[in-house]
Amino acid sequence: MSGELAVGIHDLAFATTEYVLTHATLAARTGADVAKYHQGIGQTAISVPAADEDVVTMAATAAATIVARHGSDRIRTVVFATETGIDQAKAAGIYVHSLLGLPSAARVVELKQACYAGTAALQFAIGLVHRDPAQQVLVIAADTSRYELGSPGESTQGAAAVAMLVGAGPALVRIEDPAGLQTADIMDFWRPNYRNTALVDGQESIAAYLQAVQGAWKDYAEQGGRALTEFRAFCYHQPFTKMAYKAHRHLLRHCGLDAEAADVDRAVQPTTAYNSVIGNSYTASIYLGLAALLDSAVDLTGRAVGFLSYGSGSVAEFFAGEVVPGYRTHLRTVQHRAAIDRRQDIDYARYRDLHQLTFPADGGDHLRPRETSGHKRLYES
Ligand code: CAA
């Protein structure tokens, strides 16, 4: 901690898409054994955006509930982390700022570094609050993960937005110093400007992630962080939920500890409930892990949680948070389960049509019919 001031996550809410494609449906199409998806990668369903959904609509839906609860008077900064933004120049957060009627005396910016940027946004927010504890920062992490149809990555797609209100005296999680950092210039996963699906070397990306876990932990330890045994649970970036198990086993062994299945389960399983049915939401995924953990039956009062954020390319960060006594009364468990349960099941043909949908590039205005049911179509472009 820098000084005595407790700063961290005061509220957290997520939103996901209108549609869901199950891995059973996908397996029937690809011919894969569904157990490869259910057990092998730990995924049972993929959130699929409707034609009128994107990172802005998901982000606004998630953040609207935070603003409804706390108001927006103290929000002077909005940081929107995404690798699937909608404009190369204008920050997606400006649309959210406008849709939610946030104060005009605010700074709004978009951050990108693959699946890591949400953590950079959180750390920058904490720095701003330390400078002026009266201010709050709205941090949003939102992404739609898209790989080519028929590619190995297809089963790890997904979409979601997590909104977090960061401030002094947080009701949920106090974020601690120090952080462990690692950057390495590698090509394990990337998406050049001319593509709307990601390029990835699947096995190399897994190896790169594990190397990054090790590197970020090493720096965290050297900076004087907690011992590994102090943590009750670990939120990892979850491109698919089995990756969190792989990462935790790797970290335990790297630290010379046994990686007993029961211990790995205890540390990781409570963080996977949302990601396993939503899929990879890139920069939002680690914070969906936190949402699942806080909403789980585990009593985390006063307990330390480890966070390992990984963004291909690559940047990794390990940091710790302490769960605040009384946190349960501030959770949004019912809202979160409803966001998942309300999705409409779609068949493969509908999913494929949505996947292949492209928007006109002629600069004109093209209104699409409203498809979403749970919230109004939020903005037009
Ligand atoms: N029953 C049970 N398990 C089965 C099975 C069956 N019938 N068939 C296979 N499996 C298991 C395999 O043993 C394997 O598990 P282990 O890794 O524990 O051995 C698992 O299912 C997956 O099988 P494969 O490795 O054969 O699968 P694949 O090569 O077709 O694809 C993947 C897996 C590489 C992860 C692919 O989905 C992919 O490319 N995903 C996108 C990239 C990705 O997610 N990378 C993660 C690290 S990078 C990152 O984290 C950033 C990011 O968000 C992208």
Side-chain angles (χ1 to χ4, degrees), residues 139-154:
V139 169
I140 296 170
D143 269 307
T144 298
S145 159
R146 293 177 90 229
Y147 295 94
E148 283 198 7
L149 295 174
S151 71
E154 183 180 21

Side-chain angles (χ1 to χ4, degrees), residues 76-335:
R76 284 180 60 81
T77 305
V78 179
V79 193
F80 194 122
T82 185
E83 63 183 283
T84 49
I86 57 164
D87 193 290
Q88 292 283 35
K90 181 167 174 171
I94 295 184
Y95 293 105
V96 176
H97 173 273
S98 157
L99 288 163
L100 301 185
L102 299 182
S104 59
R107 61 168 77 81
V108 181
V109 70
E110 187 167 308
L111 293 186
K112 178 180 69 184
Q113 183 8 68
C115 309
Y116 163 73
T119 296
L122 176 62
Q123 295 291 16
F124 296 167
I126 287 166
L128 286 169
V129 175
H130 273 291
R131 198 164 79 173
D132 178 2
Q135 296 185 21
Q136 294 176 324
V137 180
L138 180 61
V139 169
I140 296 170
D143 269 307
T144 298
S145 159
R146 293 177 90 229
Y147 295 94
E148 283 198 7
L149 295 174
S151 71
E154 183 180 21
S155 58
T156 65
Q157 297 174 118
V162 175
M164 295 181 276
L165 189 65
V166 175
L172 297 180
V173 183
R174 181 175 64 78
I175 302 297
E176 301 177 351
D177 275 346
L181 307 171
Q182 173 176 290
T183 289
D185 183 3
I186 52 169
M187 295 297 276
D188 58 331
F189 164 104
W190 68 107
R191 186 169 67 84
N193 285 343
Y194 57 85
R195 291 185 63 96
N196 64 9
T197 52
L199 293 167
V200 66
D201 180 332
Q203 298 307 331
E204 186 177 330
S205 70
I206 293 172
Y209 181 135
L210 296 178
Q211 277 303 309
V213 168
Q214 201 173 308
W217 174 263
K218 179 172 180 289
D219 187 48
Y220 178 73
E222 285 171 4
Q223 300 292 322
R226 289 176 182 260
L228 200 58
T229 48
E230 288 179 46
F231 294 98
R232 170 60 185 85
F234 292 79
C235 295
Y236 287 90
H237 166 54
Q238 294 177 37
F240 49 95
T241 61
K242 276 294 152 70
M243 189 68 223
Y245 292 80
K246 281 182 196 290
H248 196 54
R249 274 197 300 272
H250 185 82
L251 182 57
L252 288 171
R253 287 179 185 143
H254 172 72
C255 294
L257 298 168
D258 288 338
E260 297 291 340
D263 295 337
V264 176
D265 262 21
R266 186 172 181 276
V268 169
Q269 190 277 335
T271 70
T272 60
Y274 297 147
N275 283 291
S276 67
V277 293
I278 285 176
N280 194 355
S281 55
Y282 291 160
T283 193
S285 115
I286 180 173
Y287 299 103
L288 276 184
L290 174 62
L293 176 66
L294 294 173
D295 287 345
S296 76
V298 180
D299 182 5
L300 296 156
T301 306
R303 302 300 302 271
V305 175
F307 294 82
L308 188 286
S309 185
Y310 177 70
S312 293
S314 72
V315 177
E317 176 160 346
F318 188 97
F319 63 100
E322 191 178 271
V323 180
V324 176
Y327 74 100
R328 276 193 187 287
T329 56
H330 303 278
L331 297 179
R332 298 173 177 275
T333 313
V334 173
Q335 175 186 326

